[in-house]
Amino acid sequence: MQTMLRFLVVFSVALFFGCGDKAPAGEPGTPAKGKAGKSAAVTAVAQDLLAAVPDDSPYVFANTAAMPKDFMDRMGKAMAPAMAMLEKQLLEEEKRLGDSPDDRLAKAFLAEIKGNLNTAGMAKMGLDPDFRFVMYGVGVLPVMRFALKDAKAFRAMITRIETKGERKAPTAKHGNQEYYRFSNDGMVIAVAVLDDQVVASFMPEVSANLVLPALFAPKGKGTAVRAKLEKNAKAYGLRASSSGYVDLAGIARSAMGTGSALNNQIFAAITKGQMPPLSAACKTDYEGLITTFPGMAFGYTELSGTTAKARYVFEIASGLATELAGLRSAVPGLGKHSGVATFGMGLDVEKALTFMQTKASAHKPYACENLSMVNQMFGGMGMVQAIPPVLRGLKGAIVNLTSMDMGDRGPGNIKATALLLAKDADQLVAMGKGQIPPLASLAIEPNGKPVAFPAGLIPPVAENPHIAMTKNAIAISVGKGEEAKLSGLLNAKASGLTPVFYAAYDMQALMNMTGMKNMGMQGEEAAVMKGFIDLVKTISYSVDFQKTGLVLEQTLVMP
């Protein structure tokens, strides 16, 4: 039903902004230093929720700490216009409802949530305003548990909806546990209201006899899950109370029939007759792959009234991870936002190509027929030796857009700089002159002094283009006065290692420049858009090879 779906959307937003405060200090992807604070540990409520999670659960995402007040205040202010508009739309929809059984139920539902799409309202309905939850897998099938502030109030709300809607939700029993059971087209949704939490799962009917015992009569105590969340927190700089993991190796082994007994049974039940049996060769090759790429961990590292930072670590066997980390090339300024937009990458192309050739030469073809394309990929790596030496010398680049005007005729008054690192920058320029005839007249020496580009070479939209060069770097600028920055760019030194890829945007500046702040919206829609835009100052993304694996980070900075 539309109203129900909209309510779930509101819950999804709350889930997305699951919270916590700063993680223990430490470099990205490295163990946090110092003693973990109280907020970084799994809380008492978390222990109740996690107690039912099987030790062999292949994926877990838990938010078990109260949301920081400053973060909630920012979110509340930003979302207030959206919640007001949603409630108005729900009231308008209520007027259109008739007297059918579905419409009576919808009216009863709307009566309960009316005026309650806020923190106080959630508490009134018995829900936990901090939305503490754990989402995990029983086998590959999803289960969600979320804490209740007041189970009695929550049950009373359900009873009122059933009474006013003149319809009772279908129930069933597993042992002594009564639960709501909705079945349709071979699928089952099971929901139960327990003493201090709600548990829900979605499963094929053929697997219900395997999943229901894990929901209502769990055998473990969640000890292994808590231990893994806290281990990841220390290893990857995450908060244990706002984090999760995916056990790719466990999922793969369930598919192969070599995982834990319950996981194997569930996978076999839901895929019966749909998947051909795996050959012994495939099982052997897959086992080798999952040993190299066993899983991923993710979570918040910081969440406050000014910053929301998330990290995703794709785990890679230590030997390979170390090799990949050695391909990085430090690029001055990369990893720091400047101006309207910044993007770039730092990768030693020579080292990367040598790495690929070495792996291709050492690769023993997989015997598994399903991995034939991987064998072809390794075979194609030998072609990298055809790449010209001058291009093999590239080590990284960074582009900064300082400012730009956007008029009816397109962009103008662009101010930007770019830095390209290369082993032999002069040879790169020489190659450019050979490929682009107008560049032939460019008189430039590797002395760091800016030289204007030949007239007509650069489109008029990029005014006053200049280039400067040293032995190992090329810098380019556009815009009046920007050439004065080139010497500093060429002489800058990177302070430590920089990410393989980085991009950052000043969202408010971009919106203002492009005239898209309201996107043509008016009234309530414009207020909703303004609420979200005012929430975001900058957004940045980084990708890096570290000793822990491939690390992705996303950072949102609020004004």
Side-chain angles (χ1 to χ4, degrees):
M1 216 183 253
Q2 273 191 330
T3 51
M4 300 286 189
L5 289 174
R6 288 178 184 172
F7 189 50
L8 288 174
V9 168
V10 175
F11 262 75
S12 297
V13 172
L15 172 62
F16 178 78
F17 287 111
C19 51
D21 49 12
K22 286 190 177 183
E27 293 183 12
T30 61
K33 296 182 180 180
K35 198 170 182 179
K38 179 180 177 182
S39 64
V42 180
T43 65
V45 172
Q47 291 175 4
D48 293 338
L49 293 173
L50 293 174
V53 181
D55 288 345
D56 58 358
S57 180
Y59 54 88
V60 175
F61 177 33
N63 183 69
T64 58
M67 294 186 176
K69 185 178 183 304
D70 54 353
F71 176 77
M72 289 298 294
D73 289 345
R74 293 301 299 267
M75 293 300 108
K77 183 178 179 180
M79 294 180 65
M83 293 298 99
M85 187 171 73
L86 173 59
E87 187 152 355
K88 182 179 178 180
Q89 290 174 345
L90 292 175
L91 291 174
E92 291 173 352
E93 186 165 331
E94 183 180 29
K95 296 175 184 177
R96 294 193 293 268
L97 294 173
D99 198 43
S100 69
D102 283 347
D103 284 359
R104 286 197 299 271
L105 187 63
K107 286 180 180 178
F109 175 75
L110 288 171
E112 291 298 324
I113 68 171
K114 190 184 302 181
N116 289 326
L117 297 181
N118 49 60
T119 301
M122 289 179 70
K124 180 181 174 182
M125 292 185 285
L127 298 168
D128 176 17
D130 296 319
F131 200 47
R132 288 169 284 193
F133 71 92
V134 58
M135 184 166 61
Y136 61 97
V138 172
V140 294
L141 298 174
V143 178
M144 184 167 182
R145 294 177 183 268
F146 61 88
L148 291 175
K149 181 179 178 64
D150 187 340
K152 184 177 179 180
F154 187 76
R155 289 192 184 97
M157 178 185 68
I158 294 175
T159 299
R160 288 194 301 271
I161 292 174
E162 289 181 327
T163 302
K164 293 177 183 178
E166 301 177 21
R167 184 187 295 183
K168 296 278 284 184
T171 60
K173 270 195 170 184
H174 178 81
N176 294 324
Q177 179 64 56
E178 185 177 54
Y179 66 98
Y180 299 104
R181 182 178 177 122
F182 307 90
S183 302
N184 184 46
D185 197 23
M187 301 301 294
V188 172
I189 296 176
V191 183
V193 182
L194 308 180
D195 291 340
D196 59 357
Q197 61 190 257
V198 172
V199 58
S201 184
F202 177 74
M203 69 201 81
E205 196 151 11
V206 294
S207 64
N209 64 317
L210 298 169
V211 177
L212 292 176
L215 295 186
F216 305 132
K219 296 180 179 179
K221 297 182 179 180
T223 305
V225 174
R226 280 191 289 274
K228 187 163 185 175
L229 290 173
E230 298 205 8
K231 179 182 177 182
N232 287 345
K234 293 176 182 178
Y236 305 134
L238 307 175
R239 294 188 71 253
S241 53
S242 297
S243 63
Y245 61 82
V246 178
D247 182 4
L248 296 176
I251 294 173
R253 288 180 179 127
S254 295
M256 293 189 292
T258 60
S260 66
L262 179 60
N263 291 356
N264 290 350
Q265 290 170 353
I266 290 174
F267 195 91
I270 63 179
T271 61
K272 188 175 181 180
Q274 299 179 26
M275 290 182 63
L278 285 174
S279 65
C282 283
K283 290 183 179 181
T284 299
D285 287 339
Y286 287 166
E287 188 63 36
L289 286 171
I290 61 180
T291 300
T292 304
F293 306 100
M296 69 172 291
F298 56 90
Y300 290 112
T301 60
E302 182 179 351
L303 200 53
S304 68
T306 59
T307 307
K309 189 172 184 178
R311 181 174 299 152
Y312 309 84
V313 181
F314 293 85
E315 297 167 327
I316 300 174
S318 59
L320 179 58
T322 300
E323 289 182 274
L324 291 170
L327 307 181
R328 293 177 293 176
S329 176
V331 178
L334 191 62
K336 297 179 181 179
H337 174 253
S338 176
V340 176
T342 302
F343 59 91
M345 65 180 298
L347 186 70
D348 189 313
V349 175
E350 178 68 42
K351 288 183 179 179
L353 296 178
T354 300
F355 168 81
M356 292 170 65
Q357 288 177 293
T358 301
K359 293 300 179 185
S361 299
H363 175 63
K364 181 181 178 181
Y366 293 115
C368 177
E369 60 278 9
N370 297 336
L371 296 176
S372 59
M373 289 187 65
V374 178
N375 289 331
Q376 292 175 17
M377 181 190 73
F378 274 100
M381 284 185 182
M383 297 177 64
V384 299
Q385 58 187 334
I387 295 176
V390 65
L391 296 181
R392 298 174 73 99
L394 294 174
K395 296 182 180 295
I398 183 171
V399 177
N400 282 311
L401 174 62
T402 303
S403 63
M404 178 180 69
D405 296 334
M406 183 64 73
D408 295 337
R409 297 184 178 180
N413 195 26
I414 301 172
K415 291 188 175 183
T417 59
L419 176 68
L420 178 66
L421 302 183
K423 183 179 179 182
D424 296 298
D426 55 344
Q427 293 183 24
L428 196 61
V429 170
M431 185 180 75
K433 287 183 177 182
Q435 298 293 324
I436 307 172
L439 269 181
S441 61
L442 181 65
I444 182 172
E445 298 293 334
N447 54 15
K449 294 182 179 180
V451 175
F453 273 96
L457 179 63
I458 306 295
V461 68
E463 301 174 349
N464 194 43
H466 280 71
I467 183 172
M469 177 178 66
T470 61
K471 186 178 187 305
N472 301 121
I474 298 170
I476 296 173
S477 69
V478 296
K480 186 176 180 180
E482 291 296 288
E483 67 274 17
K485 299 179 180 179
L486 297 186
S487 178
L489 279 176
L490 292 169
N491 293 313
K493 303 294 182 184
S495 55
L497 295 173
T498 56
V500 173
F501 172 80
Y502 179 80
Y505 308 90
D506 185 327
M507 298 303 294
Q508 294 196 4
L510 281 173
M511 289 292 185
N512 288 329
M513 281 189 327
T514 57
M516 295 177 64
K517 192 159 188 176
N518 291 327
M519 296 188 178
M521 299 177 181
Q522 296 181 351
E524 291 177 329
E525 290 184 343
V528 170
M529 178 59 67
K530 185 178 186 302
F532 286 112
I533 291 176
D534 288 348
L535 181 66
V536 182
K537 170 60 177 173
T538 61
I539 297 179
S540 65
Y541 305 90
S542 70
V543 179
D544 201 9
F545 290 129
Q546 297 180 6
K547 63 181 180 181
T548 53
L550 178 66
V551 179
L552 282 70
E553 288 190 347
Q554 177 184 17
T555 303
L556 182 151
V557 176
M558 307 174 205

